[in-house]
Amino acid sequence: MRRPLHLKVTAALGGALLFGAIVAGCSATGSAAPTRSESPHATAAPTPHSDASIALTCAVLGSLDTSLEDTAIEQHDGQTDPSGYAAVINTTTNTLMGLRRNSQAGMQSEVWNLQEAVKTSPPTVQGATFDPHGADFVAALAEVKKACEANGTPMMLYAPVGQG
């Protein structure tokens, strides 16, 4: 199903805020909404010892990563044009800035590394601020995913129905 561009960008930003709001309400003991994992070795829900500030960051970055990957697939399949893909890519900077300014968000050094990777991953799509599949960004995101796993709050990718 093809969605108008403004809805896609709104969904990307709104999803990040929604996940952040859900996880921000967690207690320090890590009682968050259940999550599903792509890895059979990952914990399905946060452990009693997980850090809620890290869980918040993992949820927001999981939503961002999902938006980036879903839109890349849609662009590849011709369901979204390059300008629509660029618009979703360009939500990344605001999402990362929001995490850096949120006193309840954890993993500040990892988020800073993602911000730096945005600067060093030249765009491959016209109108985009960076390449979300660039080596620096992928490496920084891999470090975030490791920290999320270690916290018991793995980053999740969700695909629309019919997208695998």
Side-chain angles (χ1 to χ4, degrees):
M1 174 178 181
R2 187 174 183 172
R3 291 186 275 181
L5 173 61
H6 70 280
L7 290 178
K8 187 73 169 174
V9 173
T10 302
L13 291 172
L17 293 173
L18 176 63
F19 279 119
I22 291 169
V23 179
C26 297
S27 69
T29 60
S31 59
T35 58
R36 83 170 190 253
S37 174
E38 295 176 15
S39 168
H41 304 292
T43 304
T47 65
H49 305 292
S50 62
D51 182 317
S53 68
I54 292 173
L56 166 67
T57 301
C58 296
V60 170
L61 293 176
S63 178
L64 174 67
D65 195 26
T66 296
S67 292
L68 291 170
E69 291 305 314
D70 285 351
T71 310
I73 292 167
E74 289 172 3
Q75 197 269 331
H76 179 265
D77 292 346
Q79 296 173 337
T80 299
D81 65 19
S83 67
Y85 183 33
V88 173
I89 290 171
N90 294 344
T91 65
T92 301
T93 302
N94 287 337
T95 300
L96 296 175
M97 262 194 305
L99 283 171
R100 295 273 297 154
R101 291 180 178 158
N102 184 338
S103 63
Q104 296 192 11
M107 301 191 317
Q108 290 296 311
S109 63
E110 289 87 348
V111 174
W112 185 85
N113 289 339
L114 282 169
Q115 286 180 307
E116 290 301 304
V118 165
K119 296 176 188 175
T120 59
S121 299
T124 56
V125 175
Q126 184 175 0
T129 53
F130 79 106
D131 177 10
H133 297 106
D136 291 346
F137 190 78
V138 169
L141 194 58
E143 290 303 312
V144 167
K145 289 177 181 180
K146 283 184 200 174
C148 291
E149 288 281 340
N151 191 55
T153 53
M155 280 179 51
M156 311 311 284
L157 282 179
Y158 297 94
V161 175
Q163 206 179 56

